[in-house]
């Protein structure tokens, strides 16, 4: 795709060492990804931020369940809501939310390396067999597992045994 690309032409000003920027453009090309699926890892443990809360002083508050729910909603919908020309057609497709028991001190692995994403015709398939192995083996320390996904064109294979499934856009059970 052909684009106009801005660049600056710095020329020394007559008053000294300062530079004036002369704006100009040139023709360029850019390539856009036709289809891609990015997996990002994010972990939050309220117990890990207690020291930070103390450092923040008297006005700081502990992380509350309402804060976590707002974060979860932002992770479910944020990419879809933030629309721009550069990311037109980009949507939140999948969210895996694992909550450990209150007493658990386990550190879960980065699941991005354990999830396989494949295309099967018009359907996108998330194979969670490696995640299932990890979570099923730690089931005594896991309080809940939620999988949020676009239920119209995504298939989830090998979900963890205790996973609850939800449509990512509506939040309704699937």
């Amino acid at each position: 795709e052909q684009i106009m690309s801005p660049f600056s032409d710095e020329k020394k000003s007559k008053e000294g060492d300062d530079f004036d920027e002369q704006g100009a453009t040139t023709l360029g090309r850019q390539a856009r990804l036709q289809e891609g699926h990015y997996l990002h890892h994010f972990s939050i443990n309220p117990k890990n931020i207690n020291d930070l809360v103390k450092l923040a002083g008297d006005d700081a508050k502990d992380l509350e369940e309402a804060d976590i729910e707002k974060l979860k909603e932002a992770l479910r919908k944020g990419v879809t809501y933030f629309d721009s020309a550069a990311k037109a057609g980009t949507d939140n497709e999948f969210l895996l939310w694992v909550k450990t028991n209150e007493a658990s001190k386990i550190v879960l692995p980065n699941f991005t390396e354990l999830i396989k994403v494949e295309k099967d015709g018009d359907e996108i398939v998330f194979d969670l067999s490696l995640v299932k192995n990890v979570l099923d083996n730690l089931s005594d320390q896991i309080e809940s597992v939620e999988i949020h996904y676009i239920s119209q064109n995504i298939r989830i294979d090998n979900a963890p045994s205790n996973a609850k499934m939800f449509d990512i856009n509506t939040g309704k059970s699937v």
Side-chain angles (χ1 to χ4, degrees), residues 94 96 98 108-109 111 114-116 126-139 142 145 147 156-163:
F94 174 85
L96 172 63
V98 179
L108 294 170
F111 293 138
L114 303 178
I115 298 171
K116 295 177 186 164
F126 284 80
D127 182 353
L128 305 180
S129 54
L130 297 174
V131 172
K132 177 181 173 42
N133 290 340
V134 170
L135 295 180
D136 286 355
N137 287 329
L138 296 169
S139 62
I142 304 296
V145 177
I147 298 174
I156 306 296
D157 285 352
N158 303 306
S161 302
N162 59 346

Side-chain angles (χ1 to χ4, degrees), residues 144-158:
S144 64
V145 177
E146 295 178 13
I147 298 174
H148 301 259
Y149 65 103
I150 301 174
S151 57
Q152 292 80 15
N153 66 335
I154 291 179
R155 185 177 82 224
I156 306 296
D157 285 352
N158 303 306

